[in-house]
Amino acid sequence: MKTLLAIAPSPRKGGNSETLLKEFCRAAEDAGWNVDLVRVNEMNFKACQACDACAKDGQCIVKDEMQDVYPKFISADALVLGSPVTFGSMNAQLKMFVDRFQCWWNAKYNLEKPFVKEEENKKGFFICVGALKRKRYCENAEEIIKVFFHNINYKLAGSLAFRGYDEKGAIQQDPDALSQVYQAGKDFIVEVEQS
Ligand SMILES: Cc1cc2nc3c(=O)[nH]c(=O)nc-3n(C[C@H](O)[C@H](O)[C@H](O)COP(=O)(O)O)c2cc1C
């Protein structure tokens, strides 16, 4: 069975980004996939300490819950992330999580031994939701996702941005948004299975 790794960084369990993420995942489950949901806000982990120990062997020496996450990125068949906008970009939890892949950057660029090889053609999808209508905020978050994906050898197959949703549960009042995400999930799974 194939596995979709789903990264949910919002502190609001069942909030707007997690609701959208789960709708995307539902499409994967309907296609017979297993979903592995990681709630970043519930993880106990530190920010990258910039110790550069990983330059030696690509391994992070900070022994916390990120150590359980790295293997998931190696074994997953595809990836989806869903972030709320905070202060004009992805939320702090997700940025801290992304920065902990500095060891993967070292593995790819300094050691030339990436954990995921480009030829594996792994793909991911990004969903972003913010309260304000300004386009730039989700674009800022997506720019970081592009850098992240490039460094870990995942290809960004697509993204969706939802603006104007603030209260917890606001997105539930918008069936069009939910069906758009479900359809994107369906299309994504087909694309991954055909590649
Ligand atoms: C600390 C904080 C900062 C925020 N900053 C922004 C912002 O800069 N732009 C924006 O559009 N929404 C901002 N928001 C609103 C959230 O993006 C919005 O409520 C979103 O629906 C939350 O998603 P969630 O339910 O998945 O947590 C902010 C929310 C918080 C808690």
Side-chain angles (χ1 to χ4, degrees):
M1 196 187 250
K2 289 192 183 286
T3 296
L4 175 66
L5 178 60
I7 308 298
S10 173
R12 291 206 298 201
K13 222 170 167 172
N16 296 320
S17 56
E18 196 177 295
T19 298
L20 291 166
L21 191 69
K22 284 191 164 166
E23 202 53 20
F24 190 94
C25 292
R26 196 167 65 82
E29 283 166 342
D30 288 349
W33 283 48
N34 171 49
V35 171
D36 186 2
L37 178 72
V38 173
R39 282 208 179 86
V40 179
N41 191 61
E42 291 176 2
M43 285 173 56
N44 187 6
F45 72 109
K46 283 174 92 158
C48 172
Q49 299 299 296
C51 64
D52 221 21
C54 57
K56 185 170 78 241
D57 56 5
Q59 301 296 326
C60 180
I61 60 163
V62 183
K63 300 299 176 212
D64 58 17
E65 289 183 24
M66 280 306 292
Q67 300 298 338
D68 303 330
V69 165
Y70 298 130
K72 290 177 188 278
F73 276 74
I74 296 172
S75 63
D77 296 288
L79 173 65
V80 57
L81 301 99
S83 182
V85 169
T86 61
F87 281 75
S89 186
M90 65 174 52
N91 80 345
Q93 289 89 332
L94 183 56
K95 185 58 167 62
M96 195 163 116
F97 182 91
V98 161
D99 284 0
R100 282 292 298 277
F101 280 80
Q102 175 66 2
C103 47
W104 281 45
W105 182 89
N106 261 316
K108 178 175 176 178
Y109 290 106
N110 279 335
L111 306 168
E112 295 178 11
K113 278 189 188 154
F115 292 104
V116 168
K117 298 193 177 43
E118 247 179 277
E119 310 82 79
E120 291 179 62
N121 201 20
K122 288 204 179 185
K123 292 185 168 64
F125 198 95
F126 180 55
I127 302 164
C128 182
V129 57
L132 305 178
K133 294 282 181 184
R134 193 178 284 236
K135 260 180 90 181
R136 177 60 65 88
Y137 297 152
C138 281
E139 287 171 0
N140 288 343
E142 194 177 317
E143 275 307 304
I144 298 169
I145 290 295
K146 283 180 186 161
V147 175
F148 177 47
F149 275 34
H150 187 71
N151 289 341
I152 65 171
N153 280 340
Y154 272 72
K155 290 180 183 61
L156 184 61
S159 67
L160 281 172
F162 295 89
R163 292 175 282 272
Y165 303 90
D166 199 8
E167 298 305 315
K168 184 175 174 181
I171 204 80
Q172 304 271 15
Q173 315 306 319
D174 188 345
D176 288 348
L178 298 175
S179 61
Q180 198 185 343
V181 170
Y182 181 83
Q183 188 58 46
K186 255 178 102 168
D187 295 344
F188 175 73
I189 293 299
V190 168
E191 186 182 335
V192 170
E193 285 182 342
Q194 284 175 351
S195 68

